[in-house]
Amino acid sequence: MNPCEFCIPFIILLTWIAAVYVIFAKKIMHAVIVTGFVSLIASVLFLLMKAPDVALTEASIGAGLTIAIFVFAIRKIEQKEGKDGKR
Amino acid sequence: MFNIIFFVLLGLGVLFCFLRLLLGPTIVDRAVALDTFSTVTSSILVFLALFFKRGIYLDVALVYAILAFVGSIVIARYIEKGI
């Protein structure tokens, strides 16, 4: 058993803890940042399972696009509601 | 032998970044933790490319590093109320 296959259950446990934290986060920006963490570590998990093309797609969409779109949407909502100090 | 040492050190880096990401009091701590985590993880991907001796893993590391930088920049612009 090589050490990479030995690492996979720990990485799955880490992803699970982060995903549960996303559900119970107090502020929405914390949830967005931890979502980026989950997406990044899922990319490593795909790569350890020997699927580098899926890992490439997950890294490009999850790391760059999802965080950017979420942050722009939160900023638009805050500007529309007019309450700026709550974050 | 050296592989085991590399794996333990990189695992400790991931673990401490994860703790700061979950326990950080402010949003700035979490953003810095995410940035540090992306750096550590791209080094993990390069090490896996060395370990499995496959060149395509280096492409994954390259795309990963570029786009994690974009995400970090977007979060930073949000914190300084720029966008």
Side-chain angles (χ1 to χ4, degrees):
Chain A
M1 185 179 206
N2 59 359
C4 296
E5 293 175 357
F6 182 73
C7 284
I8 287 177
F10 295 104
I11 297 177
I12 291 176
L13 182 66
L14 215 66
T15 313
W16 184 79
I17 294 172
V20 171
Y21 179 80
V22 169
I23 299 173
F24 294 105
K26 290 290 190 296
K27 296 180 181 179
I28 194 160
M29 200 58 201
H30 298 170
V32 169
I33 292 176
V34 183
T35 305
F37 176 81
V38 171
S39 164
L40 290 183
I41 208 166
S43 170
V44 178
L45 203 58
F46 285 141
L47 198 130
L48 282 177
M49 293 175 184
K50 295 185 175 57
D53 46 352
V54 188
L56 197 64
T57 311
E58 176 70 30
S60 62
I61 292 179
L65 203 61
T66 309
I67 295 178
I69 287 175
F70 276 162
V71 170
F72 280 123
I74 290 170
R75 171 57 85 192
K76 289 272 186 187
I77 290 170
E78 282 180 354
Q79 281 178 353
K80 181 168 287 188
E81 287 183 350
K83 45 185 178 182
D84 203 13
K86 182 183 178 183
R87 62 182 53 179
Chain B
M1 182 61 195
F2 285 112
N3 291 334
I4 302 296
I5 295 173
F6 286 155
F7 268 114
V8 169
L9 289 179
L10 290 173
L12 283 179
V14 169
L15 187 64
F16 290 144
C17 285
F18 182 68
L19 285 180
R20 183 49 65 196
L21 193 76
L22 291 193
L23 301 175
T26 62
I27 184 173
V28 183
D29 293 327
R30 293 164 205 263
V32 172
L34 188 67
D35 198 19
T36 311
F37 176 74
S38 70
T39 306
V40 171
T41 309
S42 57
S43 69
I44 286 177
L45 294 184
V46 174
F47 177 67
L48 285 178
L50 180 65
F51 187 77
F52 287 118
K53 293 184 173 56
R54 294 186 64 181
I56 195 169
Y57 289 4
L58 288 176
D59 297 342
V60 180
L62 196 66
V63 171
Y64 193 87
I66 292 171
L67 291 172
F69 172 74
V70 171
S72 179
I73 286 296
V74 168
I75 293 173
R77 293 289 290 177
Y78 174 80
I79 292 171
E80 70 166 2
K81 303 176 184 177
I83 58 175

